[in-house]
Amino acid sequence: MKLIILGFSSAYPTLVSSTTSQLLEYNGKSFLIDCGEGTQIQLRKNKIKFNSIEDVFISHLHGDHYFGLPGLILTFNLLGREKPLNIYGPKGIKNIIVSLIKAGKTWTNYKLNFIELCSIKPEIILNKNNLIITTIPLSHGIYANGFLFRKKTTSHKLIMKKLVDEGIDKTQFSGIKIGKDGITNKGKIINNLELVEPLNQDVTYAFCSDTLFNRKIIEQIKGCDLLYHESTFLKKHENLAKKTYHSTAEQAAIIAKESNVKKLILGHFSSRYKELSLFLKEAKKKFNNVELVSEGKVFHL
Ligand SMILES: [Zn+2]
């Protein structure tokens, strides 16, 4: 999996960054996570094929997380899109988007599938090609979800040299990949574990924006390979963070530490701060493997 940061500014776009949007690429498909204003420009800058996007995930209905979506939908239409677009977001998103499109007396020639979310518990919302996507309920004053992307490793990699040396016919390969023993051309049974590489563990990415400091998410994101957590404020504005249902860099780092994630990335910085390195400095006091996001930055998983 590959994560591309398209935008990370909170509240409104600046000359440094667009508002929140990220793209997760896996197996030739692109999953768009939030769609702040100007996301389509960021997609072009990062040379993303529009047609690779089949699923869009909107965390919540604050404008800085989805005001780019109506424009993107209509651009897709103008470019002749035919395949459906699946939009996962809070209940009410369908009415908003459809009303905007209808107000212009226009429509799309491709199908829009809205999957409206209202559960306050984690729920699996997509399961395809060994990728499972689950909501992470957040605490943000209005209904909000993060998203947990889990790439399942279900098929073992074969040790080809061993298979050839033992004289195991290729008709058995698909069975061995999923755990069956091999039988040599002399009828000898070879244990599956001798024929395959050890199974890699699942790969996980957790996207958590926007949210109040909320330890309830820890259980769900435990051991993640990569965690994006909002850090809108610095410690000196902790009260403001609480009042506006946001987090500080230090709080994001505490979540990362207590969840034992492998790496933390921070974004959604308030534009009141000109020196972003302070976010890194504050977070590092609690959790060392942390980076700030920037436009176009790529993370491999
Ligand atoms: Zn928000």
Side-chain angles (χ1 to χ4, degrees):
M1 291 198 288
K2 179 177 157 189
L3 179 74
I4 305 165
I5 306 300
L6 301 174
F8 64 89
S9 203
S10 73
Y12 53 81
T14 67
L15 291 174
V16 176
S17 173
S18 302
T19 44
T20 303
S21 186
Q22 302 184 357
L23 194 91
L24 190 75
E25 289 185 344
Y26 167 65
N27 211 11
K29 304 267 185 264
S30 299
F31 300 86
L32 188 62
I33 311 166
D34 276 347
C35 188
E37 207 176 324
T39 293
Q40 55 178 308
I41 304 290
Q42 297 306 318
L43 290 169
R44 286 188 189 280
K45 275 189 189 169
N46 288 279
K47 300 187 170 42
I48 308 298
K49 287 187 183 130
F50 282 5
N51 231 19
S52 70
I53 301 172
E54 294 178 4
D55 302 285
V56 181
F57 303 87
I58 302 296
S59 61
H60 65 296
L61 294 179
H62 283 153
D64 55 332
H65 292 257
Y66 81 106
F67 277 2
L69 187 56
L72 185 64
I73 286 171
L74 290 176
T75 298
F76 281 169
N77 196 51
L78 290 169
L79 295 177
R81 184 182 178 108
E82 290 177 354
K83 66 166 139 179
L85 184 69
N86 307 314
I87 298 163
Y88 301 78
K91 193 169 170 41
I93 192 169
K94 179 178 179 180
N95 187 35
I96 296 167
I97 300 292
V98 169
S99 301
L100 275 170
I101 295 172
K102 275 189 175 171
K105 293 201 186 320
T106 180
W107 195 238
T108 60
N109 293 319
Y110 63 95
K111 198 164 184 293
L112 295 174
N113 295 322
F114 289 91
I115 301 93
E116 296 198 308
L117 310 173
C118 56
S119 174
I120 53 167
K121 289 183 179 164
E123 62 173 341
I124 293 175
I125 51 174
L126 187 65
N127 184 351
K128 69 175 177 187
N129 299 331
N130 291 328
L131 187 69
I132 299 172
I133 303 169
T134 312
T135 57
I136 305 171
L138 301 174
S139 175
H140 189 48
I142 63 167
Y143 182 74
N145 286 303
F147 301 102
L148 180 67
F149 296 79
R150 178 180 295 278
K151 185 181 86 172
K152 296 287 290 177
T153 309
T154 54
S155 178
H156 288 267
K157 196 173 172 209
L158 301 172
I159 304 172
M160 289 311 296
K161 186 176 181 315
K162 178 83 175 165
L163 289 159
V164 173
D165 289 352
E166 293 286 358
I168 294 172
D169 191 79
K170 64 180 176 188
T171 54
Q172 298 179 53
F173 287 4
S174 55
I176 293 169
K177 276 185 181 176
I178 56 169
K180 288 186 180 169
D181 291 338
I183 303 170
T184 68
N185 48 21
K186 289 177 184 155
K188 187 182 164 196
I189 294 172
I190 308 286
N191 191 302
N192 178 270
L193 294 177
E194 294 179 36
L195 304 173
V196 293
E197 307 275 2
L199 198 61
N200 291 326
Q201 291 192 322
D202 294 353
V203 178
T204 44
Y205 171 56
F207 168 86
C208 295
S209 183
D210 303 353
T211 185
L212 191 67
F213 179 51
N214 176 17
R215 282 195 164 92
K216 282 186 193 154
I217 66 173
I218 288 174
E219 192 54 40
Q220 202 188 347
I221 63 173
K222 227 165 216 172
C224 260
D225 293 278
L226 184 65
L227 166 66
Y228 169 84
H229 196 291
E230 72 129 291
S231 72
T232 309
F233 295 102
L234 293 172
K235 194 172 173 59
K236 64 179 176 183
H237 291 124
E238 200 172 304
N239 282 342
L240 196 53
K242 195 172 176 185
K243 207 168 129 190
T244 57
Y245 293 87
H246 284 295
S247 301
T248 66
E250 183 189 64
Q251 290 169 337
I254 291 170
I255 294 288
K257 187 181 177 190
E258 293 184 6
S259 334
N260 198 24
V261 300
K262 295 196 178 91
K263 187 184 180 80
L264 169 67
I265 52 177
L266 298 176
H268 204 264
F269 315 115
S270 163
S271 57
R272 62 170 46 73
Y273 306 113
K274 301 301 165 218
E275 190 45 73
L276 296 185
S277 64
L278 293 173
F279 285 90
L280 199 60
K281 200 174 159 192
E282 287 195 1
K284 272 188 183 280
K285 285 180 188 165
K286 301 284 178 188
F287 186 83
N288 194 47
N289 194 9
V290 54
E291 264 185 58
L292 306 186
V293 300
S294 58
E295 253 186 34
K297 201 164 189 174
V298 173
F299 298 91
H300 292 276
L301 287 131

